[in-house]
Amino acid sequence: MRIVIIGAGRVGLRTARVIRNEGHEVTLVERDQEKVERAENEGFEVIQGDGSNEETLERADLESAEAFGALTGDLNTNFVACMVAKHYDCRTVLRIDEDYRENIYRKYADEVDEIVYPERLGAIGAKNALLGGNVTAIADLAENLQVVQFTVTREAPMHGYTIAELELPADARVLAFGKEDEALRLPLPDDRLEEGDRLGVLAEFDALENVRQILIGGAATAGGV
């Protein structure tokens, strides 16, 4: 795929690295000279200019792009850029940050293909690390809906149970399963949960703590996972 990303800061540049490592073509758009030079030093094609300006985006050749990521720290810039990219039939991804509110999310959710909220995933990841690394945030799908990977421990209440026997909260679903030394795959009813096994779970944010206790064990933590 060919992907255009505006914003070569910590989120945009990190995303660009991952996408390039997977074999896709990435063009970055950035107005800050220092960030432009840093990205160019890493071998990226960079268009310097305002990412919310259609002329700047045309220089990034949106017509040949299949996806567009508005990953700057400015919500208004990101939204305007996504609206421009929509006219070029690009898949659009909008970043929102600490000024996040449910009404803001709902206001923009219908106008773009995906919304990402790095701060929420970053906070979860930091807390997961403090709890021992058995929980990994994978994706923030909606305002209150996340995909999280859990690593089963020997102390888990459901250790030794099969997927068919696993009882999760009503607002949580198992999406993927993998043995400790294997890649994740679709879960099978007779897959047995053993120490080190990993489960990808789709859940409402408020259900994550209950899921953690079932698959990992231990006392409840304040504020959820």
Side-chain angles (χ1 to χ4, degrees), residues 16-223:
R17 292 186 191 117
V18 172
I19 291 173
R20 184 175 63 179
N21 288 341
E22 293 184 357
H24 303 291
E25 180 183 348
V26 184
T27 297
L28 288 162
V29 177
E30 173 59 55
R31 70 171 72 187
D32 182 83
Q33 180 64 35
E34 183 177 341
K35 293 177 181 178
V36 169
E37 293 177 357
R38 181 175 62 183
E40 288 180 334
N41 288 338
E42 292 193 28
F44 287 103
E45 177 188 3
V46 186
I47 305 299
Q48 185 167 11
D50 182 355
S52 63
N53 183 289
E54 185 168 2
E55 291 184 359
T56 301
L57 296 179
E58 286 177 347
R59 289 163 51 206
D61 192 13
L62 277 184
E63 288 187 355
S64 69
E66 297 165 85
F68 178 84
L71 305 182
T72 79
D74 184 275
L75 175 60
N76 292 327
T77 295
N78 291 345
F79 182 70
V80 171
C82 281
M83 295 304 96
V84 174
K86 270 295 184 183
H87 288 291
Y88 289 85
D89 295 324
C90 292
R91 173 177 175 79
T92 55
V93 176
L94 172 73
R95 170 188 172 184
I96 58 178
D97 282 319
E98 67 278 356
D99 56 351
Y100 172 89
R101 295 290 185 274
E102 183 175 356
N103 63 326
I104 293 178
Y105 182 96
R106 295 186 183 281
K107 177 180 178 180
Y108 295 112
D110 293 337
E111 305 296 332
V112 298
D113 293 302
E114 296 286 347
I115 290 178
V116 292
Y117 182 27
E119 273 65 24
R120 171 179 286 178
L121 290 179
I124 292 175
K127 189 171 185 180
N128 291 341
L130 292 170
L131 292 173
N134 291 316
V135 187
T136 304
I138 297 176
D140 192 10
L141 299 184
E143 187 272 333
N144 197 39
L145 193 62
Q146 298 191 348
V147 178
V148 177
Q149 177 181 284
F150 295 88
T151 301
V152 178
T153 68
R154 183 169 294 277
E155 295 74 28
M158 301 302 289
H159 180 273
Y161 285 64
T162 66
I163 293 291
E165 297 169 329
L166 181 61
E167 295 183 3
L168 293 181
D171 42 8
R173 301 286 185 275
V174 177
L175 299 181
F177 174 82
K179 304 301 292 183
E180 184 176 10
D181 56 350
E182 298 176 357
L184 289 174
R185 55 172 172 77
L186 292 176
L188 300 174
D190 58 352
D191 285 327
R192 191 168 298 278
L193 304 183
E194 299 174 341
E195 183 179 4
D197 291 350
R198 291 160 296 125
L199 289 92
V201 177
L202 172 68
E204 293 282 343
F205 189 77
D206 292 340
L208 289 174
E209 173 61 22
N210 289 335
V211 175
R212 188 191 72 81
Q213 291 185 57
I214 291 170
L215 297 177
I216 296 176
T221 59

